[in-house]
Amino acid sequence: SIIGGSIGQVFFQKSVEVKNNKEALKNLTLNTYKKLFKLGIIPFSIITAFGDYIFAFAFGSNWVIAGEYAQVLSIWILFVFITSPLSTLYLTLEKQKEGLIFNISIFISRIVVIIFGSLFFDDAYITILLYGCTGTIFWMFWSLYLLKLASINIFAVFLYTIKYILLFMGGLLL
């Protein structure tokens, strides 16, 4: 949060300065996305692969389940880490309505997922897994939407993101 918040403040300031220069805004946004992604992918991949072991080692065997929850939530948190600083772009480009729609949608989805998971599965792990998957989908699409606002080829960024997630997490899991 501290790192993302600091980067977000700097990004907001610079994006306001270059908002009328589409190429500069595009480069600033893409470079910030890639830096945040590179900064976050390693620790979040480690949590995804070994969260249960890390929590058990650090806090004791009673904390294994918390590590398992961290594992299923880590990709979602990675996208929150990447996208939160970039989300000031909707202020820069005066897209507050879209930001409101996103926040309302994700709020409703969280409630629905928790109710659905608890009623149909009656299992905390599956409910948290659904919560993490839903959050990942929402934040990934929010990220792509913000990149699109900056005139960035979202298909290329999507492929870049998926490739490195699979590469890092696949490598760790092997």
Side-chain angles (χ1 to χ4, degrees), residues 72-73 75-77 79 131-141:
V72 299
L73 295 175
I75 296 176
W76 165 55
I77 300 299
F79 278 103
Y131 188 89
C133 289
T134 303
T136 299
I137 291 166
F138 268 89
W139 281 92
M140 185 170 61
F141 280 107

Side-chain angles (χ1 to χ4, degrees), residues 5-125:
S6 298
I7 292 171
Q9 289 176 352
V10 172
F11 176 77
F12 179 63
Q13 176 192 0
K14 289 183 179 180
S15 68
V16 169
E17 290 172 6
V18 299
K19 88 177 199 180
N20 295 322
N21 181 340
K22 284 192 175 201
E23 194 62 32
L25 183 61
K26 176 181 175 180
N27 291 333
L28 172 67
T29 305
L30 185 59
N31 289 336
T32 303
Y33 176 90
K34 287 183 175 183
K35 285 176 186 172
L36 286 164
F37 183 79
K38 289 174 184 174
L39 187 61
I41 190 67
I42 294 171
F44 289 108
S45 294
I46 291 169
I47 295 289
T48 300
F50 307 113
D52 50 351
Y53 298 113
I54 293 169
F55 275 63
F57 177 77
F59 305 114
S61 61
N62 291 338
W63 284 81
V64 170
I65 192 72
E68 291 173 357
Y69 293 163
Q71 285 177 295
V72 299
L73 295 175
S74 63
I75 296 176
W76 165 55
I77 300 299
L78 172 63
F79 278 103
V80 171
F81 174 76
I82 295 167
T83 309
S84 288
L86 296 177
S87 66
T88 59
L89 195 57
Y90 76 86
L91 293 170
T92 302
L93 299 176
E94 300 175 8
K95 299 287 185 179
Q96 289 89 338
K97 179 181 174 185
E98 288 82 352
L100 177 65
I101 291 169
F102 169 75
N103 283 303
I104 290 171
S105 300
I106 199 160
F107 176 72
I108 291 169
S109 76
R110 289 174 177 168
I111 292 170
V112 169
V113 164
I114 290 171
I115 292 170
F116 179 82
S118 63
L119 289 177
F120 290 100
F121 296 104
D122 195 31
D123 184 308
Y125 182 82

